[in-house]
Amino acid sequence: MNTEALSSSSYLGEGAGPAAWLLTTDHKRVAWLYLISLTAFFFLGGAMAVLMRIELATPAGDLVSDDVYNRLFSLHGIIMVWFFLVPSIPATLGNFLLPLMIGARDLAFPRLNLASWYVFMLGSLFALASVVFGGVDTGWTFYTPLSTLYANGFVSMAALGVFTVGFSTIMTGINFIVTIHTLRAPGLTWFRLPIFVWTMYATALVMVLATPVLAASLILIVLERMFGIGIFNPALGGDPLLFQHLFWFYSHPAVYIMILPGMGVVSEVLPCFSRRPLFGYKAVALSSMAIAVFGFLVWGHHMFVSGQSAYAGVLFSFLSFCVAIPSAIKVFNWSLTLRKGEITFETPMLYALFFLALFTFGGLAGLFLAALAIDVHVHDTYFVVAHFHYIMVGGMVTAYMAGLHFWWPKMTGRMYPETWGRIAATVTFLGFNLTFFPQFVLGFLGMPRRYHTYPPEFQFWHILSSAGAVVLAIGYLMPLFYLGWSLFRGARAPANPWRATGLEWQTASPPPPHNFDAMPKVSRPAYDYAMKGLQHEKFSPHKDEA
Amino acid sequence: MSFGIPFTPPEASSIAGSVDLLFYTLLAFTALLGVFLTSLVIFYAVKYRAGSSADRTGERARSLPLEVTWTVASLLIAFVIFGWGAALFMRREHPPLEALEIAGLGKQWMWEFRHPGGQREINELHVPVGKAVIVSLASQDVIHSFFVPAFRVKQDAVPGRTTHVWFIASEPGRYRLFCAQYCGTQHSEMGGFVTAMPPEAYAAWLGNQGQGETLVADGEKLFGALGCSGCHGNSSKVRAPDLTGIFGRPVALDNQQTVIADDRYLRDSILNPKKEIAAGYEPVMPSFDGLVDEGEMQMLLAYLKSLSARDTTKSEAIH
Amino acid sequence: MGASTESVAFDKPAREQAADTFAMWIFIGSEAMLFGAILLVFLIARISYGPAFAAASHHLSLPLGTLNTVVLITSSFSMALAHLFGNRGRWRASTWSLAATALLGLVFLGIKAAEYTMEFREGIAPVLGVPFTYDGPDPVHAEFFFGLYFAMASLHAVHLIGGIVVIAGMLVMWSSATQSSRLRRVRAIGLYWHFVDIVWVFLFPILYLINR
């Protein structure tokens, strides 16, 4: 393939020096800045996970010391939650695609967008610097009074880092909300928006409204550590459970920040490779909003055995069963989308189908945790670990990989190698299940989480899980290589390689600097895939009036 | 137990069986639903793969009654599971009246238990089979969590308050005890075993332990040593409330409110006596905050509770 | 197109201005959650330890608190004037009003600092390990009250400092800004300033006026 510079009409051709990238306000380039930094964080956090799994292959703590192990899982959590999962799809794919999907030249506030990346880097590197000094050993949850009075790590640094990253999250959230409200192309009504945009909207709302509560709790922790104010310290009249309430008031909605965008990606990919419109479009769109709202009402289900009132426990349990409903609606709609389709199994589709399976099982496992009497037994065990990894990794990361492959041609102008993609997707799926399914059994057996050593009778399941982690790591490393390779050697991508609907496919791959040569108009609903009998007809862009 | 690989935890308490019944019911329901959905997706994926000759004509049939039926059905099942789980959970709130109360203290990184007779154990807990045991939990430093998988019970021990967990061991044996809430460097070492033994064996075991003072006796000594008896005693000059039979009784406060003298009230009154002042008394009691650690607090509470048990015919949690 | 918009995304300045205002409102919503979370903590504590909180509140200086409330409301008024003058193109008056707003903000901070000093002297500032000498009933929960008071008042002060810095920055770059971008900025900072003011209007009664 000719590696001649891409045509100057592409956003990639607009200046190549570091300054052209680091000072860009083009949302597509900012997306790349995020993509590169998030990839680094993902593999850093992943490496810590692999180290932990190797340690856990034997019951004794023989590879690393207890202090090191505790720092590993704390940082694994902090990095994966705040420096990867929360920004993952919104800051990379969302940043790149949102203006393209709604037919805008850029986000509403391009400079704010770039600033958000700098703030993100500042905060995350600040938090990481705590590792250099000696690490953090509070777990990602920063529970008081461990974090305020007893932890010997650099808790304030890490907390301030996370706090700073919160600003970047809020900036992105505000930018997305305003963009979706004000910059939709003519004719692109709310109910013609792709579901991806809907989920970005719901995510942005949660970002803007939940992140400040995390900020409040982190501020109070830092005030307590540095200035001795005792809001969470019982000796000074405070209450340690107050922190848990504040923390989960943020962190439960944050779980939806971490999964809604994945739902958005899958809602794009499944219809495209089934060549059918999304089943129940409105139900899927509105259930995203329902999830965003309900997500604020269930934080207490993290605290059933904490000593909070039993009646509060019953109420939170009930609400938690309710929040499962909109997710269930989505799963039914995605499954039925396949019906009477013309299904092909390219890499994005494989990832999307694996998402569907893993998200379903992870979500069903959530019912066990919502049921009070069972939660008493499995709370703070590997059952919980398995549950949220099924949602966060099996769900969100799998969807992220689906989206990355799906829009890779759009972002780079190159095709990735299809065979390698399919192999990697399958390896990931198998490795994931091998890693995390045994953890459900471990949890039921009573294996508590965050244990550096464990009783020997649990070893069988731990060995399976550790073996799976290695397979999973290979599954995630493969795309790093072949996608990197395809950047320079991949086949040139046409504007619309998947014959997909959506405005982003109507412009060149890669798109020109301001996205569209002529600003698009929209007159048709989303997912207007050709019906039976027309599936071989070339998909016609509906740029013109129908 | 096939090939020595454990699949299920032992069931060794009176509630373990009922929790497991709920667990397996839910497992059956979720497995059925999960397998159904997965099969549906696989079935569609195979049937409607590109190039297959499957019939794709006609609109996608949407049978509203069918959709409503199965949505409502899964909803109802979910709510049954909710109610079932909640009902079992509420049993935690109502321990049997006739129960053995053991004080459990979590500290970095060990569990310390004291039996009513004063016998102390660290990271080991001996309990009789067939008798209700209440473990009253406190923590000296950070949050810990008392977790015995075989009993299906778990409760956090939170600094600054007393929490309770109760169980009736049903099978003699040695079962794992864990700390489930991450508590710092040696979190994974904080645990040991609960030994459930027949009541006679338990009595014998108690007898073989050192001749430690009982918790109540220790508390009584402390009550004298800290000077509490100087004011609260019968022959004191300072007028202070008589503590005989105080536990579990309503106390009128000087702000026209009434509180029940429970663990929380007694603890607060010792550490922070000016907070709730009994009606008719001068707020002259000094705070013992910093003078009494969590272990000593448990002794004092045990002693104060014993004052109720001695005087009233109704048996309280302690005897 | 584009000549007078700052972002390439917008065709018309009017649309961009609407987006600015909208974004500021969302930001304020976000800020409201921040203060709301801490206010909720306060509320729960207030219900649990009512008498202790009421008694502790008497140790705050009501005259200084009231004075500060007046100062802040006046600053909001001058901020509104800045906006009004800007709308009519009277930029000189608008500039002075902005400067007055920032100045009143500084006065507020000065009074607040004096209050903090008094509280340190009295020994009711539970920060930095300063000995806590409080003679009222239930000192433990009184300390909790003062902890919350310092946390909330300081968080508010940080927001005020942020506003003053932004106003100062605007005034420095005043001459190089076009009229329309000046107006946009005044509108945005004005919304923010009023919000910070309103937060104080909530804080003042719950901190100073409980049970007076």
Side-chain angles (χ1 to χ4, degrees), chain B residues 234-245:
Chain B
N234 294 331
S235 56
S236 74
K237 284 174 230 128
V238 185
R239 217 169 69 86
D242 178 17
L243 300 181
T244 311

Side-chain angles (χ1 to χ4, degrees), chain A residues 67 70 137 150 239 276-277 305 317 332 337 339-343 376-377 379 444 450-451 453 457 461, chain B residues 5-6 9 44 48 50 56-57 60 70 82 141-143 154-156 161 176 179 182 185 187-189:
Chain A
D67 263 332
N70 294 342
D137 63 345
Y150 292 89
D239 183 354
R276 296 288 295 188
V305 299
S317 165
F332 299 147
T337 300
R339 192 157 173 266
K340 300 201 173 187
E342 190 76 20
I343 303 169
V376 170
H377 176 55
H379 175 75
F444 182 49
R450 298 172 167 179
Y451 262 33
T453 59
E457 63 261 30
W461 298 105
Chain B
I5 300 164
Y44 284 155
Y48 298 110
R56 292 175 174 88
T57 52
R60 280 192 285 210
W70 90 313
F82 155 74
D141 33 52
V142 302
I143 301 176
K154 185 181 285 129
Q155 175 61 50
D156 286 4
R161 62 170 79 185
R176 294 266 178 205
C179 171
Y182 174 65
T185 308
H187 169 54
S188 63
E189 304 296 326

Side-chain angles (χ1 to χ4, degrees), chain C residues 8-44:
Chain C
V8 292
F10 291 95
D11 292 335
K12 300 187 200 77
R15 196 105 179 98
E16 190 174 26
Q17 266 180 35
D20 274 357
T21 311
F22 183 45
M24 203 39 149
W25 276 110
I26 300 170
F27 178 66
I28 286 172
S30 185
E31 289 275 29
M33 291 297 286
L34 176 72
F35 283 102
I38 298 186
L39 276 179
L40 198 67
V41 169
F42 184 89
L43 202 71
I44 293 165

Side-chain angles (χ1 to χ4, degrees), chain B residues 34-88:
Chain B
V35 168
F36 168 73
L37 281 170
T38 315
S39 320
L40 189 73
V41 168
I42 294 174
F43 170 73
Y44 284 155
V46 172
K47 184 172 179 194
Y48 298 110
R49 66 188 186 279
S52 77
S53 57
D55 174 29
R56 292 175 174 88
T57 52
E59 278 302 296
R60 280 192 285 210
R62 295 197 65 168
S63 159
L64 193 64
L66 188 71
E67 279 176 38
V68 168
T69 313
W70 90 313
T71 311
V72 170
S74 10
L75 257 181
L76 284 181
I77 293 173
F79 287 148
V80 166
I81 300 281
F82 155 74
W84 188 350
L88 270 178

Side-chain angles (χ1 to χ4, degrees), chain C residues 55 77 95 105 110 114 122 131 174 189 191:
Chain C
F77 177 68
T95 311
E122 201 184 329
W174 210 227
I189 187 70
L191 268 174

Side-chain angles (χ1 to χ4, degrees), chain A residues 300-306 308 313 316-317 369-370 372 375, chain B residues 89:
Chain A
H301 70 207
H302 296 265
M303 300 170 61
F304 289 154
V305 299
S306 69
Q308 82 175 352
F316 282 122
S317 165
L369 295 168
L372 284 158
D375 182 73
Chain B
F89 179 75

